[in-house]
Amino acid sequence: MTAQVEPNGPKLAVIPSNPVPEGVRLGYFTTSDRVRLRYAIWPKSAGPHRGTVCLVQGRTEYIEKYFETISDFRARGFAVATFDWRGQGGSDRLVGNGTTGYVDRFEDYWTDLRCFHAEILLPDCPPPFYLVGHSMGGLASLVAATRDRMMFDRMFLSAPMVSLHGMEDSLPLMGGLAEALSFIGLGPVPFKRRGDRRPHEGGFLDNPLTSDLLRYTRMVETIRADDGLYIGSPSFRWLAAATRAMGEAGKEEFSARLQIPLLVLAAARDTIVSTPAIEQLGLRLRNGRHVVIAGAKHEIFMESDAVRGQAFAAFDAFITDQTR
């Protein structure tokens, strides 16, 4: 079933196993290049005031997927603000096939985040601001940190997409091919991959996202409640944009521009993004470090209680305890 939070406004898909945290304010905002994005903000639910966590998602994700994690941040005294990137979740789709991941340039995600910061975070949320980003959102967050050091006080990243698993050496070739195909008009065409199948109950055993059956099933049920949230294969244009951004993130001069206090988590069992590339980034950081979470698959916040416990212990040491 779905719950409409504002008359004629955006909706949230709500299922019994994934209730919406109380106190949500849901709406749309429009970016500087006129793309409409869905957003949600929550006040803190307990503890002393600690500021606001700005939560940015990975490719294919959506606000509803993070209800549990949002509740965890709120219980620590943080307000939470989040939004759906362009082309996914409840935000505007950019190509006719709404299930294909698409973006013209990776810089467009910087536009999304910059506009969200200016239009929602600054006027409506209590400072200080802490950015939490996952996967593709982690890479977009790193790009943002090189553009504007003062947007956020600290940055906490989960399995950022700085390279793809097993493709560290072949990314330039893949990106070049995707650029060529985009140039001849095939940019919106999906790059079909086996791993981009619609999530279903029978796919748990070999899924690359989480080892937790209940949280995996919750993802399946949420998509079933609102099929419009589903995103499948990336387009060739998205692939070209993303590989170029990953190539930039792998350069030493990129790391040198990261001046914000930064903690990066990597998943030891990740088969989506490259854990070795995350470790290399972590070793080059001048104002940050990295931690590899044992036993974790790619989606650390959707993992088992034991894995999530490690992630939140790292978050508390790096952010929560610094606000006291």
Side-chain angles (χ1 to χ4, degrees):
M1 63 181 178
T2 58
Q4 185 167 317
V5 180
E6 295 181 0
N8 303 315
K11 298 179 181 179
L12 290 170
V14 181
I15 57 176
S17 62
N18 192 39
V20 58
E22 293 182 359
V24 63
R25 173 183 162 191
L26 188 67
Y28 291 118
F29 72 99
T30 302
T31 65
S32 57
D33 58 346
R34 303 186 65 79
V35 179
R36 189 180 70 166
L37 307 183
R38 182 179 68 158
Y39 77 91
I41 58 178
W42 282 266
K44 73 179 185 71
S45 61
H49 163 70
R50 300 189 187 279
T52 300
V53 166
C54 176
L55 177 61
V56 296
Q57 314 151 12
R59 193 188 82 82
T60 79
E61 295 189 317
Y62 41 85
I63 292 169
E64 292 90 336
K65 191 170 179 177
Y66 283 88
F67 284 169
E68 179 184 20
T69 300
I70 288 165
S71 295
D72 291 329
F73 288 132
R74 295 179 69 215
R76 286 166 164 77
F78 295 95
V80 179
T82 187
F83 66 95
D84 293 329
W85 296 112
R86 62 180 64 203
Q88 62 188 58
S91 295
D92 282 353
R93 297 294 195 266
L94 307 176
V95 291
N97 182 352
T99 65
T100 299
Y102 184 89
V103 73
D104 286 325
R105 308 170 306 147
F106 205 83
E107 285 280 328
D108 292 342
Y109 294 130
W110 158 240
T111 298
D112 291 351
L113 182 57
R114 174 171 50 85
C115 292
F116 182 68
H117 184 272
E119 296 188 28
I120 305 300
L121 272 181
L122 285 178
D124 295 336
C125 300
F129 302 130
Y130 303 101
L131 185 65
V132 175
H134 173 65
S135 195
M136 184 196 81
L139 178 58
S141 300
L142 290 169
V143 171
T146 67
R147 300 290 193 275
D148 187 345
R149 159 66 183 87
M150 303 307 294
M151 286 176 69
F152 299 99
D153 284 63
R154 292 187 170 223
M155 190 173 286
F156 182 87
L157 304 183
S158 159
M161 190 186 72
V162 295
S163 187
L164 300 181
H165 173 76
M167 304 189 69
E168 296 86 348
D169 296 330
S170 59
L171 272 182
L173 178 62
M174 176 187 290
L177 176 60
E179 287 278 8
L181 292 171
S182 298
F183 180 76
I184 64 173
L186 298 180
V189 174
F191 173 60
K192 297 287 189 179
R193 306 178 300 175
R194 180 176 177 271
D196 294 321
R197 296 174 302 175
R198 188 181 301 270
H200 59 97
E201 286 88 345
F204 171 71
L205 290 180
D206 61 350
N207 91 87
L209 304 178
T210 175
S211 61
D212 189 277
L213 176 59
L214 292 179
R215 292 185 175 99
Y216 177 84
T217 302
R218 189 173 65 198
M219 297 182 212
V220 173
E221 292 174 345
T222 301
I223 293 294
R224 184 175 295 136
D226 185 355
D227 194 64
L229 296 174
Y230 170 68
I231 293 290
S233 300
S235 63
F236 285 113
R237 182 66 250 161
W238 183 93
L239 189 62
T243 52
R244 177 175 293 185
M246 286 185 275
E248 289 298 314
K251 297 177 180 178
E252 288 194 21
E253 54 265 34
F254 182 90
S255 302
R257 298 200 302 270
L258 294 170
Q259 301 300 317
I260 187 171
L262 176 63
L263 181 60
V264 182
L265 303 187
R269 298 172 60 199
D270 206 324
T271 59
I272 294 182
V273 305
S274 170
T275 294
I278 295 172
E279 292 181 285
Q280 290 176 10
L281 172 70
L283 292 172
R284 290 197 299 265
L285 292 174
R286 299 180 181 181
N287 199 21
R289 61 189 181 90
H290 73 282
V291 176
V292 179
I293 305 295
K297 289 188 176 183
H298 178 61
E299 295 193 349
I300 295 172
F301 287 120
M302 310 299 155
E303 260 288 1
S304 66
D305 289 346
V307 168
R308 295 181 86 251
Q310 294 179 66
F312 275 104
F315 176 85
D316 289 338
F318 183 64
I319 292 182
T320 308
D321 293 347
Q322 305 304 315
T323 65
R324 293 176 178 170

